[in-house]
Amino acid sequence: MENELIIVLDFGGQYNQLIARRVRECGVYCEVRSYRTPVEEIQKLAPKGIIFTGGPNSVYEETSPHVDKAVLDLGIPVLGICYGAQLMAYTLGGRVRSCETSEYGKTETFYDKTCELFADMPEKAVSWMSHTDYVAEVPEGFRITAHTENCPAAAFECPEKKLYAVQFHPEVNHTEQGITMLDSFVKKVCGCAGTWNMKNYAKTAVEQIRAKVGDGRALLALSGGVDSSVACALMAKAIGDRLTCVFVDHGLMRKNEGDEVEAAFRDRSVNFIRVDASERFLSKLEGVSDPEAKRKIIGEEFIRVFEDEAKKIGRVDFLVQGTIYPDVIESGTGDAAVIKSHHNVGGLPDCVDFREIIEPLRMLFKDEVRKLGTELGLADYLVWRQPFPGPGLAVRVIGDITREKLDILRDADFIFREEIAKAGLDREINQYFAVLTDMRSVGVMGDGRTYDYILALRGVTTSDFMTADFARIPYDVLERASVRIVNEVRHINRVCYDITSKPPATIEWE
Ligand code: XMP
């Protein structure tokens, strides 16, 4: 994608992706690779620099991930972080030992400003430490460039060989000016210009897509989510009406959502097909109240509808998918229990006759996908759309689904979202929505008794959606939403706010 490349060799550190993101923030393209990547392959990639990540192991254990010493002899600058620093020391003949007092958390650190990494740093600042081993002796030819109270070699270097190491985590926000150190590494040590940005990315990606597709045709399943929308906009720019995007409207979208998606893509030069399949989905879902059964039905029906459309279109050369980089990095690692069978429009290849898959966002992180969307002229409401589950409102209407319940939920959810936006909390709270429970309760309105549905509101803050905290929405905002919902939406007479985090709850209710 770019001549300037930094590679992050992953030794199992929890911050592997974060390091790559930070390097990209410095304007340099960066990819995460396994520590097993052969040295010949690294040479072929010709990176301007290499970063070794942290990891949970001890270098002196035989089963720990190690690195081919040849990587350190390539003449390419290397920065070792935490385990990566210990590994560099160990591989080159230094000594690593178990700490008497392990260091964890914010730690006062003293920097030697003559080291290129720290030239723009104060002499003393806080770094983020998380280690139980330490480098007791640096390898021959190295010198120590930072220390803490308990860690004599918090950083060390051998500038002649362009090898640098830090025991702390510069990629974590708690390390003061960590980004300055990474910036110094990629620019001063590795000599990168730092010109990578979304404008250039879009330009190169468009050229590459054109070269690959030639005069072929491509098909994309558009869900209206951020990833498929941005993939669509990018493909549209590259190949125009040789792209057909199929937007399956399952009738389980939020208020106005289907029309918004249509409006965003109708006028782009692509073939846009909106399939109103709500009847099909709703009749299949009739009387079904088990969450997993709902998810399965929707997932399968989605594929059937898409298949029917694909048959009408005939053979295409490429199927476009909105896979993003975290999926690529994480793929193949999960063997965790299935809590919910997720349905995405990503996994459809079996039902379409095509030659190859194109994943134009494959190398981008979510925030970069958003930036690219903006670069391509997509409206904010699409680019900043919060995650929305593939099965849509079906998993937010508890119990069996009817058109009436969906309409009630849509109206209530709309009001809640509006109030959150009015309060300026829409980017701060990562996901927020309403859930229509299947419980009813007694209320009083005017002078009469009501017996109507209980609505639940949910708001969470999270960075990865794997764990989440319930959002501390101010009471007055909740109150405004509650008053409006009960007044404006028929059949809701009570509103609750979900104060459970994940775990033990999940974000969605089903
Ligand atoms: P849970 O409810 O498992 O959700 O805590 C975590 C995140 O995933 C979203 N979600 C889905 N996304 N297809 C998707 O693409 C699905 O089937 C699905 N189910 C849940 C959920 O909204 C939250 O952001």
Side-chain angles (χ1 to χ4, degrees), residues 295 340-344 387 389-391 431 465 502 506-508:
R295 283 175 172 274
K340 295 176 186 181
S341 29
H342 271 214
H343 145 64
N344 293 304
Q431 203 172 354
F465 298 89
K502 171 185 180 179
T506 52
I507 295 175
E508 303 288 344

Side-chain angles (χ1 to χ4, degrees), residues 188-237:
K188 292 187 191 159
V189 177
C190 303
C192 296
T195 51
W196 189 78
N197 57 36
M198 275 307 129
K199 200 180 184 74
N200 295 341
Y201 181 90
K203 191 166 164 275
T204 318
V206 164
E207 283 162 12
Q208 286 180 338
I209 293 166
R210 282 187 185 146
K212 182 160 189 171
V213 176
D215 52 11
R217 307 190 64 83
L219 176 66
L220 178 146
L222 183 68
S223 71
V226 180
D227 303 342
S228 68
S229 296
V230 175
C232 184
L234 185 60
M235 292 300 297
K237 182 154 190 192

Side-chain angles (χ1 to χ4, degrees), residues 234-288:
L234 185 60
M235 292 300 297
K237 182 154 190 192
I239 63 167
D241 65 0
R242 278 174 295 115
L243 172 72
T244 301
C245 48
V246 175
F247 167 43
V248 176
D249 184 350
H250 50 21
L252 302 163
M253 309 281 270
R254 287 165 292 194
K255 192 165 174 167
N256 302 337
E257 198 164 22
D259 295 341
E260 283 172 5
V261 173
E262 179 163 352
F265 293 99
R266 192 45 95 197
D267 295 338
R268 293 194 179 229
S269 53
V270 297
N271 295 306
F272 177 87
I273 301 173
R274 177 174 179 176
V275 191
D276 178 0
S278 53
E279 206 50 58
R280 269 177 84 157
F281 279 88
L282 292 182
S283 63
K284 282 263 151 70
L285 288 166
E286 207 176 309
V288 180

